[in-house]
Amino acid sequence: MQTKQTNRKALEYYLKLCYPITIYLEPEGGYVAPIKALPGCITQGETPDEMMADIEEAQQLWIETVYEQGNEISLPSDNFLSGYIGAEEAVLSVKQTLYNYGTTSVQTALLIVLKILNWE
């Protein structure tokens, strides 16, 4: 259960935060991507482009809704995982990839990681 946040920053602050995204490659095809720090913030897509656009929109809507309700918004962890790869899961930090590859596009960062993993 989320609690009411008393000393919070402006909505724009939370919208600019970059959260680690967990990406699951579905056996039937496509991708599922939850943001674990934002409970219930999840999307899916047939392509990396579609999934990334959808997760960015889902994150924005989740933050706006929780903010309007006056509830607490979790901050992203400083502990970024940049390469843990399980059998069907890769835990990625898009923020770390943005930094490592010098890009400002989250979508470009995701595509770089998917190419490294040969998932694209």
Side-chain angles (χ1 to χ4, degrees):
M1 182 174 163
Q2 295 176 339
T3 59
K4 299 287 182 185
Q5 200 169 8
T6 55
N7 293 327
R8 63 184 181 165
K9 299 180 191 267
L11 175 61
E12 292 72 29
Y13 169 81
Y14 297 102
L15 291 173
K16 290 180 182 179
L17 294 173
C18 188
Y19 289 86
I21 301 168
T22 305
I23 301 169
Y24 297 92
L25 181 60
E26 289 293 300
E28 312 83 39
Y31 305 86
V32 175
I35 299 177
K36 292 182 179 183
L38 307 177
C41 186
I42 186 170
T43 194
Q44 62 184 27
E46 292 300 316
T47 66
D49 289 337
E50 180 183 325
M51 186 268 310
M52 201 61 218
D54 290 349
I55 196 63
E56 288 177 354
E57 180 181 12
Q59 177 181 330
Q60 178 181 345
L61 292 173
W62 190 99
I63 290 171
E64 288 173 348
T65 301
V66 171
Y67 189 89
E68 287 172 8
Q69 294 172 348
N71 292 325
E72 182 177 352
I73 298 172
S74 300
L75 298 177
S77 170
D78 286 337
N79 182 19
F80 296 107
L81 301 173
S82 59
Y84 170 77
I85 302 171
E88 296 181 9
E89 172 185 6
V91 180
L92 310 171
S93 168
V94 172
K95 183 175 182 180
Q96 188 64 44
T97 304
L98 290 169
Y99 175 79
N100 289 345
Y101 287 87
T103 180
T104 57
S105 165
V106 173
Q107 188 171 5
T108 300
L110 175 64
L111 293 175
I112 290 168
V113 172
L114 291 175
K115 285 180 182 181
I116 291 169
L117 298 174
N118 291 321
W119 281 11
E120 183 186 49

